[in-house]
Amino acid sequence: MQSDRPVEQSAIPEKSRRQFLQKGAQAATALLGTSAIGACGGGGSSGAGSEINSAALLPSSANPAGAISPESSAAPPAAAMPSPAKSPVIHSFSPGLAMRGDVVVITGAEFDSGSTVRFGEVVATKFSVDSANQISVTVPDSAKDAPIFVRAAGGETRSSKPFEVALVPAAARNYRLVWRDEFEGNALDRTKWTPLTNQRDDAFQTAEAVTVSGSVMKITTYTDPSTGRHHTGFLRTAGRYEFCFGYVEARVRFASAPGQWGAFWLMSNQNRAYTPPNPAAGVEIDIIEQRAIGGGNMPDLRSSYSSAVHWNGYQKGVHLVDQSNVEALPQGQSFKDWHTLGLLWTPQGYEFYLDGAPKPYWTTDKGLSLSNEFIKLTCEIRDKDWAGDIPPDGYGPLGASTNGIMEVDWVRVWQQ
C-alpha cells in the first residue's frame, strides 16, 4: 500500500526506493511495450502512468529485474467524473426570413439528440438534429417574428437576431419567396439596385440622396443651398431583377413635402405607344404613390394613397390609364408609421393590398402586362402639379427637418 506520509518522511531508503521504481517500470514496460509511453503522449496526466513513463527512461542497468515498486502496486485512481454538458450556442440560421412551413437550418454547437427548438414562445414540433452543429426545423404555423431558442442538455440559448416570418395575403399563401432586399449593412446593394443620376422634372437624381442604416433604406429630398438645385433619389432593379406574375410587397413610411412625392412601382421598358394598344408588352404599375398635399397646395393628403396602371406610352392622346380612388388610412393612422403595400399580379389581373388585409382595396384587369417588370423605389419633384408647389425656400440642406423622406424597411417578391 502506498504510504500516506510525505516522501521526505518515507522509511524506505532513497536507493531502494529508486530500485523499486526502476524495476516496477521495467516490468510494466515489458508488459505494455510502447503503450506505456503512448498513454502519456500528451504529458498532462499525474497518476501512476506518468511515473511508469519517467522510470522507464532510466538506463536498463540501473533497473534490476524482480523488484516491486510500491507505486506500481498502488490502487488505481478513482474513475474521473463526466464533464458537465456545455451550453449550446447558435451561430446563425438561414434563411433569416421564411414562410410558415418552410425549413430553416440552424448552425451552432453543443446540440444533442434531446434538443428542442422554439420560435419565441411557439414550440417547433417538426425538426431534426442533424449533428452537434446543425438543426433543421420547420417554421410552425403560428410562428411570429421572434428570436430562435435551442435547449440542450447544457442549457438554453437564443439567437442574437430575430427570425422573420414572411407573411403574405391569403390569396398568395401558396407562393414561395424568390427575391428580397432587407437593406442590411451600411450601403445600398448595387447587385440589386441601380441609383439613377439624371434630371427628371425639377429633381436632380443622385446616389447621395440614398442611404442605408439600421436595416432601412432612406431616400431624402433636399435642396443644395449653394446651387438652389433640388436633389432626390431614384432606384430601380432593371437588368438586375425582373419578374412576371407573383406577389410583391414593401414595408414603407413617408414624410412627404409639397411638390414632392414617393412611390413604390413596377415598370417595363416595353411600355410604349402601340397601334392598337398592347399592354401585354409591358406597363407601369403604381403600387403606391404618396404625397403631402394636392395641386395648389391643398388638400392635405398625408394619410392618403393611390394606385394606378398606365400603358401605351405617355404621349397625349394615346396614353391610357386605370386608377384607384384616393384611399385614406384608417382613422388615427399615418404614413409616419410603417405600412405594407402589396400587389398580387396574375394572368387574370391585379389586386392591391394594404397591411396584409384579407381583401384588396382595389382590383383591375385593365392594362394587363404579360411582360417582365422591374421594381422602382423613387421620389420625384414637380412644381405646381398634382403634389402641390415647391416651397419657396426649397427642402433645406441634406439632413434638415424640412427634407422630404421616403423610408423602406424591405422589399420581397413571392411566386408560385
Side-chain angles (χ1 to χ4, degrees):
M1 176 175 283
Q2 188 174 10
S3 172
D4 60 356
R5 291 180 292 175
V7 173
E8 62 268 24
Q9 297 178 12
S10 173
I12 302 175
E14 179 60 26
K15 182 176 180 179
S16 298
R17 182 178 183 274
R18 184 177 180 183
Q19 289 176 342
F20 291 158
L21 289 172
Q22 292 169 342
K23 292 174 182 177
Q26 187 178 42
T29 303
L31 289 172
L32 302 177
T34 58
S35 64
I37 296 177
C40 302
S45 171
S46 59
S50 62
E51 294 218 24
I52 289 173
N53 183 42
S54 62
L57 298 177
L58 295 173
S60 59
S61 60
N63 202 9
I68 300 176
S69 169
E71 283 78 358
S72 66
S73 63
M81 295 295 292
S83 300
K86 294 182 180 179
S87 178
V89 178
I90 296 177
H91 295 321
S92 63
F93 55 86
S94 180
L97 169 93
M99 295 177 63
R100 293 163 177 165
D102 288 349
V103 174
V104 173
V105 176
I106 306 169
T107 59
E110 308 301 333
F111 302 152
D112 55 45
S113 59
S115 295
T116 59
V117 183
R118 58 187 174 91
F119 292 75
E121 299 301 319
V122 180
V123 177
T125 58
K126 298 179 181 179
F127 64 92
S128 64
V129 181
D130 307 323
S131 69
N133 305 106
Q134 179 175 300
I135 295 175
S136 299
V137 57
T138 300
V139 181
D141 290 341
S142 56
K144 298 179 180 179
D145 293 358
I148 293 177
F149 293 82
V150 173
R151 176 173 288 279
E156 185 175 78
T157 185
R158 62 178 285 171
S159 60
S160 59
K161 296 175 60 177
F163 168 79
E164 293 186 74
V165 179
L167 300 176
V168 296
R173 67 173 55 155
N174 294 323
Y175 286 25
R176 60 187 178 88
L177 188 66
V178 296
W179 185 92
R180 64 190 175 105
D181 194 348
E182 306 297 317
F183 298 109
E184 297 176 342
N186 297 309
L188 185 71
D189 187 344
R190 296 296 187 96
T191 68
K192 296 179 178 178
W193 303 95
T194 299
L196 300 189
T197 55
N198 303 318
Q199 181 175 357
R200 182 181 173 96
D201 296 323
D202 295 305
F204 288 85
Q205 301 160 355
T206 174
E208 294 181 356
V210 180
T211 57
V212 174
S213 178
S215 296
V216 172
M217 187 280 294
K218 179 166 69 173
I219 298 176
T220 303
T221 299
Y222 64 97
T223 302
D224 185 339
S226 64
T227 63
R229 288 181 173 180
H230 310 301
H231 297 273
T232 193
F234 205 96
L235 303 179
R236 66 181 190 178
T237 65
R240 303 185 184 279
Y241 179 72
E242 302 179 10
F243 70 102
C244 184
F245 305 139
Y247 181 77
V248 56
E249 186 175 75
R251 187 169 185 253
V252 298
R253 64 183 179 185
F254 302 92
S256 299
Q260 171 266 332
W261 71 96
F264 164 42
W265 46 312
L266 305 183
M267 184 66 176
S268 169
N269 285 323
Q270 304 306 312
N271 180 17
R272 301 169 183 167
Y274 296 92
T275 304
N278 183 25
V283 305
E284 172 189 328
I285 309 169
D286 298 327
I287 301 171
I288 180 176
E289 290 186 287
Q290 199 277 337
R291 50 194 168 138
I293 53 178
N297 287 357
M298 59 183 302
D300 190 330
L301 298 172
R302 287 176 175 82
S303 297
S304 301
Y305 57 99
S306 62
S307 304
V309 180
H310 302 261
W311 68 99
N312 218 47
Y314 298 97
Q315 299 175 21
K316 188 175 181 179
V318 298
H319 166 242
L320 298 171
V321 61
D322 189 28
Q323 55 193 357
S324 73
N325 296 322
V326 175
E327 305 285 344
L329 290 173
Q331 184 69 31
Q333 295 188 18
S334 166
F335 273 112
K336 291 182 179 179
D337 300 318
W338 292 105
H339 294 274
T340 59
L341 280 299
L343 165 72
L344 179 62
W345 169 25
T346 72
Q348 288 72 48
Y350 307 107
E351 298 179 2
F352 296 79
Y353 290 87
L354 172 73
D355 292 334
K359 294 183 179 180
Y361 61 82
W362 182 52
T363 64
T364 182
D365 58 3
K366 297 180 180 178
L368 182 58
S369 173
L370 305 180
S371 170
N372 281 350
E373 305 267 340
F374 52 86
I375 304 169
K376 301 179 83 169
L377 300 172
T378 65
C379 286
E380 300 186 54
I381 306 172
R382 189 184 303 157
D383 194 22
K384 302 187 185 307
D385 203 83
W386 81 304
D389 304 343
I390 296 174
D393 297 327
Y395 301 101
L398 184 62
S401 61
T402 50
N403 292 165
I405 301 293
M406 174 181 177
E407 292 181 292
V408 184
D409 187 13
W410 44 256
V411 183
R412 301 166 183 167
V413 179
W414 290 264
Q415 289 183 308
Q416 288 183 323

